[in-house]
Amino acid sequence: MSEYHEMTKAAMTYLQSTDVWADELFDDTEYAMDLDRRNVILEGVQKRLRILGFEYDDSDTSSIIKELNGRYRAIGISEGIPKAVSNWIKESIPANPAYRENLYNLCMALEMSLQETEEFFLKYYMTIPFNFKDRIDAVYYYGLKKGKEYPEIKQMLQTIESWTNEDPQADKATYMVQMDLNEIEDDDKLIEYLKEHTFSKERQFQTSRAEIERLLGLNAVVAEKEMDSREGMDDERNHHRIKGDDDRVNTNELLRVIYGFDNQSYYLGENKGLQRMAKCDTLPERFRKRFPRNQEFSDIRNGTASPEAYRKAIVILKLYNYFGERVLSWLAENKNRSIYDFQE
């Protein structure tokens, strides 16, 4: 496997280029605050139902649920609308992007084309459509592109669920997998291709995991140097080294440095650390939810983390790497100054 594919490298470069996104940060924060006050998925469903000719009172979510129930059964989902999807609409609960089938099935129930599904993901689920190395995403992409009915898609999903001991080829870039899927015309050929080039949920995000491990190693070195530069911290850091003799990074210790407090919930008081951040009403809820803790990094290493955990872990590690390296550079140039002068 090549260390990084070009598309992933481009995303990493974007995070490093503060001149690209820094000026837009506060505008984006205000936009996200506005989204917190709205039920974005309901807005998307309402708009789509109007296009399909269904008339209703905007405040009457019960009639929308009833309509969707019938639509789910019409496409072949006999149990009707799942509770999770009902909660998106009635309770304004955001969609969980980890449960991809729920996302795609709502789009199918609303008779969306491939392009309309992509747009709905971006505008209303606010997540990326079609990770082509994900087997579930690849099946829905192929099915929607070929105009397959839901029972045909479900049959293919049941086939891939039964696979064990898979060892797919990991060196093909994601965009190349999409190009290959565009050329496949036969369902049996699709299944064989998925075995060779796509991953189960547990085997996804290999490039992201490699990048996170790389950043953990870099930041462990930076964090130890930063903490040793603080007055009175040398003895304590000798007992709490961030990188052990086995080269394994203690993520809890690293996060203690990055956040400035212990991130484990059972150590936190009522007004400290992540609890304070979770209640901060000047930041959008989607920024505050599920901030990376030790458990998220454990899940990443085990391949069980949500896509959101990967994204937030990379952002946190990139930001600290940017900040920490500049602190150390400043200290090297100002040997008679302390880190607290830099912070001021």
Side-chain angles (χ1 to χ4, degrees):
M1 170 180 170
S2 59
E3 187 177 4
Y4 308 112
H5 294 319
E6 291 302 317
M7 300 296 281
T8 305
K9 287 170 66 178
M12 301 302 180
T13 302
Y14 180 84
L15 283 174
Q16 289 177 316
S17 305
T18 52
D19 57 315
V20 174
W21 50 264
D23 290 342
E24 301 173 359
L25 178 61
F26 292 103
D27 288 340
D28 290 344
T29 302
E30 286 300 316
Y31 176 67
M33 291 283 282
D34 178 58
L35 291 178
D36 280 350
R37 296 185 284 268
R38 294 159 46 193
N39 186 338
V40 184
I41 295 179
L42 174 59
E43 291 173 12
V45 170
Q46 289 172 329
K47 182 176 180 180
R48 182 63 185 175
L49 286 175
R50 288 194 183 96
I51 292 173
L52 296 174
F54 179 64
E55 298 295 335
Y56 55 89
D57 185 334
D58 280 355
S59 62
D60 184 10
T61 56
S62 296
S63 63
I64 293 175
I65 298 297
K66 182 178 179 180
E67 173 69 13
L68 289 175
N69 245 325
R71 288 180 169 275
Y72 269 79
R73 294 191 174 101
I75 65 172
I77 301 177
S78 58
E79 61 271 24
I81 184 173
K83 184 176 181 180
V85 180
S86 178
N87 286 339
W88 300 348
I89 294 168
K90 292 195 298 185
E91 307 296 335
S92 192
I93 296 175
N96 186 339
Y99 294 93
R100 308 295 280 182
E101 290 184 59
N102 276 346
L103 307 181
Y104 291 116
N105 289 347
L106 176 58
C107 293
M108 293 194 72
L110 291 170
E111 303 177 35
M112 293 186 193
S113 66
L114 177 63
Q115 181 179 344
E116 288 166 337
T117 298
E118 291 174 335
E119 292 174 357
F120 198 87
F121 266 66
L122 294 170
K123 291 181 180 179
Y124 303 109
Y125 295 146
M126 288 177 286
T127 190
I128 60 168
F130 302 119
N131 173 7
F132 298 102
K133 284 193 174 182
D134 178 310
R135 288 174 176 162
I136 291 175
D137 283 43
V139 166
Y140 275 99
Y141 178 79
Y142 173 84
L144 287 166
K145 189 172 182 65
K146 301 299 180 185
K148 299 285 186 182
E149 300 291 335
Y150 175 79
E152 298 174 279
I153 291 176
K154 184 63 177 177
Q155 181 61 49
M156 287 187 279
L157 292 174
Q158 289 171 340
T159 299
I160 65 177
E161 285 172 1
S162 67
W163 291 345
T164 57
N165 301 321
E166 78 272 9
D167 188 24
Q169 301 174 22
D171 59 349
K172 181 165 278 196
T174 304
Y175 78 92
M176 294 176 65
V177 175
Q178 179 189 10
M179 293 174 64
D180 291 343
L181 291 174
N182 289 338
E183 298 299 320
I184 295 174
E185 298 291 341
D186 180 80
D187 294 359
D188 292 335
K189 289 182 178 179
L190 172 73
I191 297 299
E192 290 303 312
Y193 184 85
L194 296 182
K195 282 185 178 180
E196 293 295 324
H197 299 289
T198 60
F199 298 87
S200 62
K201 181 178 180 181
E202 293 73 23
R203 297 288 300 277
Q204 289 180 52
F205 302 108
Q206 290 193 356
T207 305
S208 295
R209 273 198 292 278
E211 173 67 0
I212 287 169
E213 287 296 335
R214 185 185 74 85
L215 286 169
L216 285 172
L218 287 177
N219 286 345
V221 175
V222 172
E224 287 185 353
K225 289 180 179 179
E226 182 197 335
M227 294 305 292
D228 286 342
S229 71
R230 297 176 187 269
E231 296 177 357
M233 293 297 293
D234 296 63
D235 291 340
E236 180 181 342
R237 299 312 301 169
N238 287 333
H239 295 289
H240 300 283
R241 305 310 295 181
I242 296 171
K243 202 168 186 179
D245 294 335
D246 60 355
D247 216 35
R248 185 77 164 180
V249 175
N250 183 330
T251 53
N252 189 30
E253 288 296 324
L254 178 58
L255 290 173
R256 184 198 298 264
V257 179
I258 293 175
Y259 292 147
F261 53 79
D262 196 308
N263 70 94
Q264 296 297 305
S265 60
Y266 49 82
Y267 290 132
L268 300 179
E270 182 65 25
N271 297 311
K272 295 182 179 179
L274 291 179
Q275 290 186 12
R276 185 191 311 158
M277 185 181 298
K279 296 177 181 179
C280 177
D281 58 9
T282 59
L283 287 174
E285 184 181 2
R286 66 192 66 251
F287 286 15
R288 293 179 271 133
K289 285 178 62 178
R290 291 188 284 277
F291 240 66
R293 303 189 189 188
N294 199 36
Q295 182 60 50
E296 275 71 39
F297 283 96
S298 176
D299 291 343
I300 287 169
R301 284 168 165 160
N302 295 332
T304 58
S306 69
E308 183 179 16
Y310 284 97
R311 288 195 295 271
K312 288 188 175 180
I314 288 175
V315 169
I316 287 293
L317 294 177
K318 280 284 186 182
L319 287 174
Y320 177 72
N321 190 254
Y322 176 87
F323 169 77
E325 288 186 345
R326 278 150 185 78
V327 168
L328 296 178
S329 176
W330 186 87
L331 288 172
E333 295 173 0
N334 298 270
K335 298 185 183 299
N336 60 335
R337 309 283 293 278
S338 79
I339 190 173
Y340 302 102
D341 296 323
F342 177 88
Q343 289 177 329
E344 292 173 359

